[in-house]
Amino acid sequence: MSDALAPARLRVAPSPTGDPHVGTAYMALFNLAYARRSGGQFVLRIEDTDRARYTAGSEQQIFDTLRWLGLGWDEGPDCGGPYGPYRQSERLDVYGSFASQLIESGHAYYCWCTPERLAALREAQAASKTPLTGYDRLCYGKTREERAALPGFAGQPVVRMLIPDDVELVFTDLVRGPVSAPRPDDQVIVKADGFPTYHLAVVVDDHLMGITHVVRGEEWISSTPKHVLLYKWLGWEAPAFAHLPLLRNADRSKISKRKNPAARLAWFREQGYLPEALRNFLQLMGYPPVSDTEIATFDEFAAGFDWAKVNTVGPVFDLAKLNWLNGHYIRSLSPEELADRIEAYLLEQGQWPNQPSERDRALLRGGAALVQERLQLLSEALPKLAFLWAADDAVTTAADAQAQLGADAPAILAAAEAALAGLAEFTGEAVETALRAALVDALGLKPRLAFTPVRVALTGQRVSPPLFESMALLGPASCQTRLRSLRAALA
Ligand code: GLU
C-alpha cells in the first residue's frame, strides 16, 4: 500500500428477493476492493425484512454466485463474525428500541391510515396537481382514540419519520462530491407487521456493525438524506457514502431481469463465462482500466483503488467486451485447466455423463487443447468437440458438409484408409505426412479438396478443430471406421 488508510468496514446488503442481480456482484466488487485496499473487512448482510418479496433459495444463490466470482466475505450469515447475526430477520428485536427512542424524542410518530386512504390521498394530489405530495400528517399529534374517530383508520399503526422543514438535502458523496437529493416524504420506518423497513434497519445495522463506508447503487441517493437524519437523531456518526452508477443497456435503460437475461448473475455461469472474466469486466464497468490492456486481476484493481476514479455515468453493459475478455482468460489457462473448467461446466449444466470415463476425460483434455484458441465461452466446447464422442459407424453428416463432397470423395476416402493403415505411430504429424503423400502428392489434389472428405468422414462437419490432431486423438481404429462408413454411405 502506498499510503496508510484507516482500516475500513464495508458491506454488501442484498435482499433475497429472487435470482441475484448482476448489480449485487458489481457492488460487492467495489466494496471488497476498498476493504482490501484499506486493510479492513468486508461484510455480507442479508436484508430480508420484506417478507412479501422474500424468495426461498435466493440467499443460497447469493452465496454461491458471489463465491463463484471470488468475492468472498469476512463476516456473514454463513460464517458468523463479531457483529452478528448478519440476517436482518434474526435481528428483529434490535430495531424496536430504536424506533421507540425516535418516537419518544418526537422524531417519529404513529400513523394509523389505511392503505386505501393513502392511495386516495395520492390520487387526489395527482388530480389537483398540487405541488404538495406525500403523507398529509393526518395522524401526527393524535392519540389512537382521536385518530380512530376519523375515517381510514387501521388497527395496526406504522411508524413514520417526522421530516423537518429544514432537512439537509445535500450530502457529500465519495464519488460524486456534493449531491442534492429531493425532499423526502414522512418515511415509514416500522411497518404494520412490526418489521422495520429498509431505512431503519439499514441505518441501525450499518451503525451497530461498525460500517465506515456505505457503497451502493445510485438508486439510493434519494434515501440518503433520510438515513443521515436517522444517524443524527440517534446520536451516531454517519458513515461515508458512495453511490455507484447503475449498469445500463445499450439504449441507456437500466438493466432489469425482465428485459435483459444478463441481469441475472447466474446467466453468466450458465452461458459459460469464466468468473475471472466477469469480475474483470465489472471492474471496467465502473473504473478506468488499471493496465494498458484492460486486463487486471482483482489484487491489481484493489491495490490502487481510489474513489475519485470511479465513474459517475452509467456504464453500458457491452457483451462484446465481455466476450473478448472471456476469450482472453480462456487462452490464458493451461489446456489441463481449461479441460477441468469445461468438465466442471458440463457437469454443472447436466450436459455430461455424471461419471465421465477415463477415455471421456482424455478426449476432453486433448480436444480442449485443440479448440482453446477459438473458444469464447466454455459452452462452445462441447458442440465443437461432440464428434469425438460420436459412434464411429454413425457420425451424422451435416447438410452443408455433405454438399462439399464431390464425385471423387469415395476414391479420396479409400486412398486415405490405405495411407493410414500402415502407420507405425498415429500422431497428428504422422497422419498429416501420410495423408499429404497419398492425397496431395500421389493424387495431385489441392489440400483443401483432398482433406474435405476426410474431415467430413471424421467429424460430420465442414469446419472442425485441427484435423490431423483430432484424428490422432480418435486413434487409428476410429478413423478407419469413420472413413469406411462415409465411403459406404456414398456408394
Ligand atoms: N437491501 C438493499 C438492496 O437490496 C441494500 C441497499 C444498501 O446497500 O443500502 O439493494
Side-chain angles (χ1 to χ4, degrees):
M1 239 183 285
S2 50
D3 51 324
L5 295 173
R9 286 179 56 81
L10 296 97
R11 61 19 173 218
V12 70
S15 300
T17 54
D19 216 342
H21 192 280
V22 64
T24 297
Y26 178 57
M27 294 307 146
L29 176 66
F30 281 73
N31 275 285
L32 180 61
Y34 193 71
R36 292 294 167 261
R37 165 82 172 91
S38 69
Q41 291 89 35
F42 174 54
V43 176
L44 171 63
R45 184 172 69 228
I46 295 291
E47 301 208 325
D48 57 352
T49 56
D50 187 346
R51 301 318 277 179
R53 295 180 61 220
Y54 178 82
T55 315
S58 171
E59 179 182 297
Q60 190 59 45
Q61 287 177 313
I62 292 169
F63 295 168
D64 293 346
T65 44
L66 290 181
R67 271 212 192 93
W68 173 70
L69 275 167
L71 304 174
W73 43 97
D74 305 308
E75 300 165 30
D78 55 335
C79 56
Y83 299 88
Y86 294 91
R87 220 177 253 118
Q88 287 185 330
S89 59
E90 292 168 14
R91 305 172 59 80
L92 293 176
D93 52 341
V94 172
Y95 310 110
S97 63
F98 296 110
S100 308
Q101 189 183 325
L102 292 170
I103 293 170
E104 275 153 33
S105 58
H107 293 303
Y109 61 97
Y110 287 112
C111 169
W112 291 270
C113 289
T114 58
E116 293 73 27
R117 172 172 194 276
L118 296 173
L121 175 65
R122 269 192 303 272
E123 256 173 55
Q125 287 170 341
S128 72
K129 303 207 167 50
T130 164
L132 290 176
T133 56
Y135 182 56
D136 63 357
R137 295 191 174 161
L138 177 67
C139 298
Y140 177 59
K142 295 197 173 61
T143 63
R144 183 185 173 89
E145 289 67 35
E146 287 164 349
R147 177 61 184 87
L150 301 171
F153 174 81
Q156 287 299 322
V158 302
V159 177
R160 287 183 182 273
M161 293 171 72
L162 181 67
I163 303 289
D165 291 344
D166 62 350
V167 52
E168 181 60 81
L169 297 176
V170 178
F171 67 93
T172 304
D173 188 285
L174 284 175
V175 173
R176 296 159 193 266
V179 173
S180 179
R183 202 194 131 76
D185 190 12
D186 279 1
Q187 177 65 52
V188 174
I189 52 173
V190 181
K191 292 176 276 186
D193 61 8
F195 277 62
T197 60
Y198 158 72
H199 301 282
L200 178 62
V202 77
V203 167
V204 168
D205 287 347
D206 282 339
H207 173 72
L208 295 182
M209 293 182 181
I211 299 300
T212 56
H213 295 66
V214 167
V215 179
R216 55 189 173 192
E218 66 184 318
E219 74 268 36
W220 300 107
I221 285 178
S222 60
S223 299
T224 303
K226 301 180 231 180
H227 300 177
V228 170
L229 268 182
L230 290 171
Y231 280 102
K232 189 169 120 188
W233 292 341
L234 292 166
W236 299 335
E237 193 189 331
F241 291 99
H243 292 89
L244 302 186
L246 293 180
L247 305 176
R248 308 245 161 216
N249 293 309
D251 66 1
R252 303 241 143 234
S253 60
K254 144 178 162 183
I255 292 200
S256 75
K257 285 196 256 174
R258 244 179 333 107
K259 285 203 263 161
N260 189 340
R264 286 176 54 238
L265 208 37
W267 180 83
F268 297 93
R269 197 167 176 173
E270 292 157 10
Q271 294 301 303
Y273 287 101
L274 299 181
E276 52 270 53
L278 178 57
R279 193 252 322 127
N280 197 149
F281 177 68
L282 293 175
Q283 274 165 211
L284 291 170
M285 290 280 83
Y287 202 82
V290 292
S291 77
D292 297 344
T293 60
E294 304 191 301
I295 307 288
T297 62
F298 172 78
D299 289 345
E300 288 163 342
F301 170 59
F305 189 84
D306 182 355
W307 294 113
K309 290 191 189 164
V310 175
N311 292 348
T312 53
V313 178
V316 171
F317 206 84
D318 174 7
L319 275 186
K321 170 64 70 67
L322 175 59
N323 289 342
W324 170 77
L325 281 167
N326 211 57
H328 165 84
Y329 279 98
I330 282 183
R331 284 187 293 287
S332 62
L333 297 172
S334 71
E336 294 73 32
E337 270 175 312
L338 175 59
D340 289 347
R341 300 279 194 112
I342 295 171
E343 180 180 328
Y345 169 78
L346 293 174
L347 285 172
E348 204 176 271
Q349 301 299 319
Q351 297 177 19
W352 189 248
N354 273 338
Q355 283 296 328
S357 67
E358 271 316 301
R359 179 175 150 81
D360 290 335
R361 284 228 167 85
L363 285 177
L364 182 57
R365 202 155 315 126
L370 299 185
V371 295
Q372 184 160 20
E373 280 304 311
R374 311 182 199 183
L375 228 50
Q376 268 198 334
L377 299 172
L378 296 178
S379 52
E380 292 162 359
L382 191 57
K384 283 189 199 297
L385 296 173
F387 72 91
L388 292 173
W389 287 275
D392 288 331
D393 55 358
V395 175
T396 325
T397 308
D400 63 339
Q402 184 80 37
Q404 301 281 309
L405 299 173
D408 55 354
I412 296 174
L413 294 168
E417 285 167 56
L420 298 178
L423 275 190
E425 48 154 19
F426 208 79
T427 60
E429 216 174 309
V431 169
E432 177 170 7
T433 309
L435 290 181
R436 274 188 194 281
L439 307 181
V440 179
D441 301 343
L443 296 182
L445 294 168
K446 289 211 167 71
R448 198 181 63 79
L449 293 178
F451 299 133
T452 293
V454 179
R455 186 185 308 281
V456 175
L458 271 299
T459 67
Q461 304 292 321
R462 202 167 52 80
V463 182
S464 77
L467 178 62
F468 310 117
E469 281 76 13
S470 298
M471 293 176 73
L473 265 181
L474 281 167
S478 280
C479 290
Q480 289 290 2
T481 312
R482 291 180 186 212
L483 291 167
R484 218 179 307 122
S485 297
L486 181 60
R487 190 158 57 85
L490 294 174

